[in-house]
Amino acid sequence: MRQLSGSVSLRRGGVDVRATMLFMNGEVVTVDSEFSVSEAVAIDGNKIIAVGTNEEILPLANERTQIVNLEGRSMLPGFIDAHAHLELYGTNKLGVNGKEVSSIMELISKLKEKADVTPEGHWIRGWGYNQNHYEEGRHPTRWDLDQVSTEHPIIVVRTCGHISCVNSKALELAGIDSHSEDPAGGKYDREGGELTGLLLEAAHMNMFLFANYSEEEVQHGLELASRDFLAKGITSVHDAGGYGPDHIRFLHKAVKEKRVKQRVYALYGSLHDSPGMVRNGLSSGIGTGLGDEWMKIGPAKVFIDGSSSGPTAKTREPYSSNPDESGILYLNEEELNETLGQAHESGWQITAHAIGDEAVEMMIEAIRRATDNSKREDHRHRIEHAGMVPKDLLQLMKELKIIPVPNPAFIHEFGDGYVRDYGERVNVMFPLRSYADEGIPFAIGSDSPITSEDPIHGIYTAVTRESKWGDVIGAEQRITVQEAIKAYTWNGAYASFEEHLKGSIEPGKLADLVVLNGSILTCDPGRLRELKVEWTILDGNIEYTANKEAVK
Ligand SMILES: [Zn+2]
């Protein structure tokens, strides 16, 4: 057991003891530099003041101290989800959930129920369909959706968030017909010259923006998202963006008014015209780190390619499932280098959504150029997802001190499709084992709502690489529970320059903590998913309890 730390600043016994809360008899996974495990923690207000054995910590109580017996359960630093979309997650909850049905027919009837109670002309929205999981084995079309209504515009978004299908009314309102040219970086799917209603990448992003929610709906959605994330032990979120500057404004308001309770590191980008958004940010004079411990401006973020499951990711070699396809690029090298080069030079942390190995290579090259042109120590530039990272790129990542932000839960959700689309390349997809072996500080993100926001689920997939269908995908990239916990806590804090504030249970750090209903370190990997969050403590307050009676 480690020594009591921070004891110098404490006066033991009598009235001077400052602990407001003690947690005793736990499996306290500190995630300090030795990854030590302790028994007890003392907090004072919103700060951790001591970590040690029961005997060391107990004397810090006085009659006002709340003492919690952890009874052997794990206490971890609050989870940091390094990549999630709070607004999308929340607003999705307001529409029809396409993950809860198993066919287009069922989706249609759910949408009809919504249309029946929605005034004509108002949007009907659905989200989360995956044609590979539907009985029909295909995307919906506008003709399917016209059966729901021809008087309401309708949009249903694929689970990846990069593809959607709309009905004829939506196309009409957006002024898109069979003569319309494909937008840059996107595609209107056609059949014999006719629009099918399926919109890919930029075509989807433009339509989604056109079908946007009101601020009231967004605020409500953000509140729902925050509540769900708290119940999963998430105390900090790196918000990966929404649509345009309004998103940042809405998010800031939600954080200020405590509808969003988590600490937010807001990636500065947009799902629509990301370079334009970054240029606006640069000219406004703000930059990475602006804000306080509740909300900070994060890195400038652009989109390089499509999604891993579409598949629309930009790969070096064609897809194994289709030798004529190798993905979609949102922007070319010149635009990427110029936009992010300027951001780097202005002092921003930079990042990009890059999934396929060609996109990852483009981003590495952009970082290499930027840092060659203007040297900066400790830039902590990131790559969101970094889906496919062959050995040569892994080495460059290490040399350039790049932080990848992978999403192991993608393996669970889409792994079987990956085998079909990328073949052997699944062995270098989300290569967590390689990152850990090379000492690359990867921070895990859920990319929720694309996959479940639950960090326990993320840890389980990082440890097992098991797909929904029970196949192990890229077995050599499995990591340990300890490594996965670190990637969900300390590494997340590091990726936002906040490891001095949070990410481990050490004296002086913020009291952002999570208690599970069992021991995560002794749990069999196959049963990790049975672990649930009991309490989420944020800024020293118990913000979530699974069992209201448990804490008095
Ligand atoms: Zn994302």
Side-chain angles (χ1 to χ4, degrees), residues 75-358:
M75 171 179 262
L76 314 179
F79 290 120
I80 298 172
D81 188 333
H83 185 119
H85 301 265
L86 284 172
E87 179 180 331
L88 281 181
Y89 178 98
T91 50
N92 280 346
K93 289 193 80 132
L94 307 176
V96 169
N97 188 343
K99 288 188 178 187
E100 285 172 1
V101 299
S102 54
S103 67
I104 293 172
M105 288 320 294
E106 260 185 276
L107 182 67
I108 288 173
S109 79
K110 287 266 181 205
L111 290 165
K112 258 189 189 143
E113 284 170 26
K114 202 87 177 172
D116 287 345
V117 295
T118 306
E120 277 184 10
H122 286 248
W123 281 91
I124 307 294
R125 301 174 180 94
W127 176 84
Y129 86 83
N130 184 343
Q131 76 283 6
N132 300 323
H133 300 177
Y134 277 7
E135 275 166 30
E136 293 87 348
R138 62 170 176 86
H139 294 273
T141 65
R142 74 178 158 106
W143 301 290
D144 293 320
L145 299 182
D146 285 348
Q147 293 174 43
V148 175
S149 171
T150 50
E151 299 308 319
H152 300 82
I154 303 172
I155 181 168
V156 291
V157 182
R158 191 180 178 277
T159 179
C160 59
H162 288 245
I163 293 173
S164 59
C165 181
V166 294
N167 69 345
S168 301
K169 187 71 183 178
L171 289 171
E172 179 197 318
L173 291 176
I176 300 166
D177 62 28
S178 56
H179 304 295
S180 303
E181 266 182 43
D182 288 349
K187 212 185 223 173
Y188 301 130
D189 185 54
R190 296 164 207 261
E191 217 175 84
E194 280 285 302
L195 297 175
T196 65
L198 195 68
L199 310 172
L200 290 95
E201 300 299 336
H204 155 70
M205 303 295 178
N206 292 340
M207 181 62 83
F208 196 80
L209 186 66
F210 180 67
N212 67 354
Y213 286 89
S214 67
E215 168 157 14
E216 201 187 338
E217 289 169 315
V218 171
Q219 292 295 344
H220 181 49
L222 285 169
E223 188 170 6
L224 297 175
S226 175
R227 206 178 295 163
D228 284 3
F229 277 51
L230 267 181
K232 300 288 190 256
I234 300 165
T235 53
S236 288
V237 178
H238 295 192
D239 182 87
Y243 290 86
D246 277 350
H247 170 72
I248 302 272
R249 195 161 55 80
F250 293 167
L251 191 55
H252 182 228
K253 192 173 175 201
V255 170
K256 211 168 59 186
E257 293 170 5
K258 290 285 172 208
R259 272 185 299 281
V260 166
K261 294 196 168 165
Q262 283 84 359
R263 306 180 194 279
V264 173
Y265 191 59
L267 275 60
Y268 198 88
S270 176
L271 300 178
H272 164 266
D273 184 23
S274 59
M277 175 84 173
V278 168
R279 281 192 295 272
N280 288 341
L282 296 186
S283 62
S284 74
I286 62 168
T288 303
L290 178 70
D292 59 22
E293 59 196 40
W294 288 106
M295 179 160 169
K296 275 184 190 151
I297 296 293
K301 178 199 177 196
V302 297
F303 256 90
I304 299 183
D305 66 340
S307 81
S308 59
S309 75
T312 45
K314 187 68 185 165
T315 50
R316 284 169 163 175
E317 302 295 326
Y319 298 153
S320 309
S321 54
N322 182 353
D324 300 324
E325 266 298 338
S326 65
I328 288 182
L329 279 181
Y330 272 75
L331 72 183
N332 60 32
E333 274 167 5
E334 235 179 305
E335 196 176 6
L336 174 68
N337 294 340
E338 194 183 311
T339 310
L340 291 188
Q342 281 171 9
H344 166 83
E345 209 164 327
S346 316
W348 285 71
Q349 182 186 28
I350 57 177
T351 193
H353 163 112
I355 305 250
D357 44 5
E358 188 169 325

Side-chain angles (χ1 to χ4, degrees), residues 4 7 9-19 22 49 55-65:
L4 174 72
S7 58
S9 62
L10 299 170
R11 279 183 232 161
R12 287 157 185 269
V15 289
D16 289 330
V17 168
R18 299 173 306 163
L22 298 187
I49 56 168
E55 295 72 43
E56 288 168 324
I57 297 299
L58 194 59
L60 303 178
N62 64 15
E63 63 281 1
R64 288 188 302 278
T65 304

